[in-house]
Amino acid sequence: EIKNWAGPIAAFDPSEVADRMAVLQLVKVYALGVDMHDYDLSRSVFTDDAISKGAMGEAAIDEYLPKVWGGAQAYAATQHNITNQHLELNGDEARVLSYAIAVHKAKPGSDMTNLTMGVQYRDWCRKTDKGWLIYRREAVAQWTETSPAA
């Protein structure tokens, strides 16, 4: 519920700071893996039983992520810029909304176009014995813009 982030905003319990920082890193590590062409890095932020939902439907992470990955890797380069993040922490569970501007540059000479999109990652996370992981993701495209390849 978006109203959970309404003001006034109370100070965070200092004992939560490390958990809050860890949870906010998850989407950034995912994006780094995509942009650096490191599938295992992107996959590492999800639980084994994670579910993802987005433009390609809804599926288990090991079915869904390779499809997203393949689409991104068809471009010469991508750059996922994580901007605003909103976090709700409840003990060993967390919910995070992360906004991103994802830039996809077409390979020179290809029939593809450049693609830039605004995305909202909606992640549900849990603390495991090894650290925080995403167990459910919804990726929602907010807008898209295309341009000719250079």
Side-chain angles (χ1 to χ4, degrees), residues 30 39 43 56 59-73:
Y30 165 81
Y39 179 87
R43 174 61 180 85
M56 296 179 207
I61 196 65
D62 288 323
E63 180 182 334
Y64 193 88
L65 189 57
K67 294 176 187 176
V68 171
W69 183 263
Q73 298 310 305

Side-chain angles (χ1 to χ4, degrees), residues 18-150:
D19 285 325
R20 288 178 174 278
M21 294 298 293
V23 171
L24 293 175
Q25 279 297 107
L26 292 169
V27 71
K28 296 170 192 170
V29 170
Y30 165 81
L32 179 64
V34 174
D35 295 341
M36 300 300 290
H37 308 277
D38 187 332
Y39 179 87
D40 292 336
L41 185 60
S42 290
R43 174 61 180 85
S44 74
V45 301
F46 296 97
T47 62
D48 289 340
D49 63 346
I51 301 292
S52 190
K53 180 179 178 182
M56 296 179 207
E58 182 173 343
I61 196 65
D62 288 323
E63 180 182 334
Y64 193 88
L65 189 57
K67 294 176 187 176
V68 171
W69 183 263
Q73 298 310 305
Y75 289 89
T78 61
Q79 184 176 23
H80 290 69
N81 302 284
I82 307 303
T83 60
N84 298 344
Q85 289 187 286
H86 306 279
L87 167 66
E88 180 180 16
L89 184 66
N90 291 310
D92 290 346
E93 295 275 327
R95 186 170 61 118
V96 185
L97 265 66
S98 301
Y99 285 84
I101 298 174
V103 179
H104 303 74
K105 293 295 187 177
K107 293 178 180 176
S110 75
D111 292 337
M112 297 174 68
T113 58
N114 294 323
L115 171 66
T116 303
M117 51 193 312
V119 179
Q120 187 185 84
Y121 293 110
R122 300 172 181 175
D123 293 327
W124 287 260
C125 310
R126 74 170 61 104
K127 191 174 188 177
T128 71
D129 58 348
K130 294 181 181 179
W132 286 91
L133 292 169
I134 299 167
Y135 68 86
R136 179 164 178 78
R137 164 169 283 177
E138 292 180 11
V140 179
Q142 304 285 291
W143 54 268
T144 60
E145 182 177 273
T146 59
S147 64

